[in-house]
Amino acid sequence: MEAHRTAELKVFVPVKYDLGGTIFDTRRLMQAVEARHGTVSVDMTMLRSWNLSYLAGHSPVLSCALSEGETVLAGAKWSFDCRMRVYPWLGVVSVDYTFTLVEGVADIEHFYDDLVDWKNRDYLPYLERCHALSDNLSLRIPPGLRAGDSEAHGSAVRALRSATAGIIEPRPFLYAFHDFRLCFIGDSDSLPDERVRQLLWLSDGESALPEDGLTHPLGFRGLEVASSGWSTVVRGEPGAVAAEAETVTTLLNLVHAQWYVCQLWINAHDLRGQQGGAGSRLAGAHVLAANQTALVQDLSEIDNLDVMLKDPVLLRVAEYLETNLKVRRHKETAMSLLHALENHSRQLADHNNETELRRVQVLFAISAAAGIASLVPSLTDVGFTLLHVAATVIPLLGFWALFAVDFTGVRRRFGRRRRRP
């Protein structure tokens, strides 16, 4: 396959991580970030386009530089700079790479494969230190791929979690895995239609490429924005690219962060607690309540772009990206988890009520048994024959059995038998 020159092309790669919970104390968060990474700034991009009422109740996005360097991807040398952005109200950290071609001719259609290999040299050691490499996952990792200690930004994410442990409102769990997307940025001459389709679907020209994403590209201040969800392409005249591309990547970062919040809840491991008795998985009410409260709070910050933004042009771009990343569908999937937790809470309440009822039955049975046992000597003292005693006590024992014996299983089996055709 022919290699393409990419001197005018930049590649923006946002990588999302779970911070572990939300943070409302912005100043202490800034101090924690600054203590480790130096200068930290509030992201002022699009400030005039936000609703002030929203900004008043939400911590700002914080940004700091992490690293810069060079690497070889897709057969060419690239420089990169890396910044970390924190979305405190979502509890999400974004590690953002911007790659620029330095030397050589890049086979850009292979950029994705090389990028995955490159980032996994950081990602797998990070997962191992987070104790997230389960047996199911470890069996799928080729031998030697986990060797070495090359955490480039994973260590920064873990350090930030530790530094903010005292100010975070934690979720009931930590989601260790990340998610990343690609955004190719260049001028129109270097990104013709066919090339855009290849980049959108991360495939070469020999494959059957769908038309989606180019059928209705979005125009924005001299730029054309097209997205397949996993990959986004921004192209236009050089002046428009220089002036407005950052606005698009800022919106992409925000929409991706919302998508990631849904993702971490969808993939959260068993939220119901540890193995309960009799093979049922029943958690304490406080565990379920904590999960439900945290999930509701997180989902209230998703799919609310019209509440956040007051600029109709930017809102249109954000909603276009939201549609292509399928944020709303992802939120609906997370909502199904909330419904499952609610059902589980009701089951737990029924289970607890039934347990309490059985305890009352046992206490009554003990008390009644003692009363019946004390009645027998009294009856013999007043001259009752054994037959009279039996005739008096047996009905009392039958009445006692109604409370002392749990007939729930019998009733259930009888009910199932009656329902059979």
Side-chain angles (χ1 to χ4, degrees):
M1 182 175 57
E2 181 185 358
H4 300 281
R5 297 199 63 84
T6 53
E8 300 84 3
L9 188 68
K10 292 182 179 293
V11 187
F12 175 71
V13 185
V15 187
K16 298 295 184 292
Y17 287 86
D18 181 15
L19 181 57
T22 56
I23 295 178
F24 300 99
D25 192 335
T26 305
R27 296 197 180 279
R28 289 183 64 186
L29 173 59
M30 293 180 70
Q31 292 170 2
V33 176
E34 192 170 13
R36 182 170 179 85
H37 301 293
T39 304
V40 59
S41 60
V42 174
D43 192 340
M44 306 296 283
T45 308
M46 309 186 314
L47 181 61
R48 66 177 183 83
S49 301
W50 288 77
N51 276 316
L52 295 182
S53 59
Y54 187 87
L55 294 179
H58 293 76
S59 302
V61 178
L62 302 183
S63 173
C64 69
L66 282 187
S67 62
E68 57 184 26
E70 292 185 346
T71 188
V72 176
L73 299 171
K77 181 185 289 187
W78 299 75
S79 66
F80 66 84
D81 65 80
C82 179
R83 296 191 65 83
M84 182 168 68
R85 288 180 171 83
V86 183
Y87 297 81
W89 76 96
L90 293 174
V92 171
V93 180
S94 185
V95 177
D96 302 336
Y97 281 91
T98 302
F99 293 89
T100 305
L101 185 67
V102 173
E103 182 181 314
V105 179
D107 185 357
I108 195 60
E109 286 77 19
H110 289 164
F111 185 90
Y112 176 80
D113 293 332
D114 286 359
L115 176 67
V116 170
D117 291 340
W118 181 78
K119 79 170 184 64
N120 279 351
R121 293 199 294 269
D122 172 276
Y123 189 32
L124 293 177
Y126 158 83
L127 288 177
E128 195 157 26
R129 287 167 175 79
C130 291
H131 308 290
L133 284 181
S134 65
D135 289 340
N136 291 334
L137 180 57
S138 296
L139 291 172
R140 292 174 170 86
I141 297 175
L145 193 58
R146 289 160 53 185
D149 184 1
S150 57
E151 272 193 290
H153 61 255
S155 58
V157 174
R158 292 190 297 109
L160 180 61
R161 289 178 187 147
S162 298
T164 58
I167 60 175
I168 201 168
E169 295 290 334
R171 294 188 182 95
F173 62 92
L174 174 68
Y175 182 61
F177 298 90
H178 74 208
D179 185 84
F180 75 99
R181 300 301 161 102
L182 294 168
C183 182
F184 299 92
I185 305 167
D187 61 64
S188 299
D189 291 338
S190 64
L191 294 173
D193 287 355
E194 183 63 21
R195 188 153 169 73
V196 170
R197 291 176 61 220
Q198 293 171 354
L199 296 177
L200 284 176
W201 299 103
L202 304 174
S203 180
D204 59 40
E206 299 174 359
S207 302
L209 299 174
E211 294 289 344
D212 304 38
L214 275 183
T215 306
H216 300 290
L218 187 69
F220 170 67
R221 297 175 181 170
L223 299 179
E224 185 179 84
V225 181
S227 181
S228 64
W230 291 105
S231 177
T232 299
V233 178
V234 180
R235 63 177 176 173
E237 295 303 316
V241 171
E244 300 295 346
E246 184 181 5
T247 300
V248 178
T249 57
T250 298
L251 291 172
L252 175 63
N253 232 341
L254 176 62
V255 172
H256 185 211
Q258 292 193 346
W259 182 96
Y260 181 78
V261 170
C262 298
Q263 177 78 358
L264 66 87
W265 275 103
I266 292 169
N267 286 301
H269 298 296
D270 191 359
L271 301 178
R272 299 170 298 174
Q274 300 301 317
Q275 183 75 20
S280 63
R281 300 186 66 83
L282 295 173
H286 66 285
V287 175
L288 293 172
N291 279 287
Q292 287 176 259
T293 301
L295 179 53
V296 168
Q297 289 175 344
D298 279 349
L299 292 185
S300 68
E301 297 293 347
I302 311 303
D303 190 26
N304 62 345
L305 294 171
D306 54 339
V307 176
M308 304 167 68
L309 301 173
K310 63 181 181 182
D311 186 326
V313 176
L314 291 186
L315 184 59
R316 183 166 169 259
V317 177
E319 289 177 340
Y320 173 82
L321 295 170
E322 181 185 63
T323 299
N324 282 280
L325 267 70
K326 299 180 174 60
V327 174
R328 188 164 298 175
R329 189 172 73 180
H330 225 44
K331 180 180 179 179
E332 291 172 354
T333 304
M335 285 294 294
S336 67
L337 175 63
L338 177 61
H339 298 326
L341 287 171
E342 292 171 345
N343 290 334
H344 197 69
S345 294
R346 285 191 289 270
Q347 293 175 13
L348 176 61
D350 292 342
H351 173 80
N352 289 340
N353 290 338
E354 187 175 343
T355 300
E356 291 301 319
L357 180 59
R358 288 175 183 171
R359 288 173 180 169
V360 172
Q361 285 179 314
V362 170
L363 292 175
F364 179 84
I366 294 173
S367 177
I372 294 172
S374 66
L375 183 61
V376 174
S378 300
L379 292 176
T380 56
D381 288 343
V382 297
F384 271 54
T385 65
L386 183 60
L387 181 61
H388 288 149
V389 172
T392 303
V393 171
I394 288 175
L396 294 175
L397 289 174
F399 182 71
W400 171 84
L402 292 176
F403 293 90
V405 180
D406 183 9
F407 293 99
T408 303
V410 176
R411 288 197 300 269
R412 288 174 180 168
R413 286 195 295 272
F414 181 72
R416 285 195 297 268
R417 192 172 301 167
R418 290 186 60 185
R419 286 194 295 269
R420 289 176 183 172

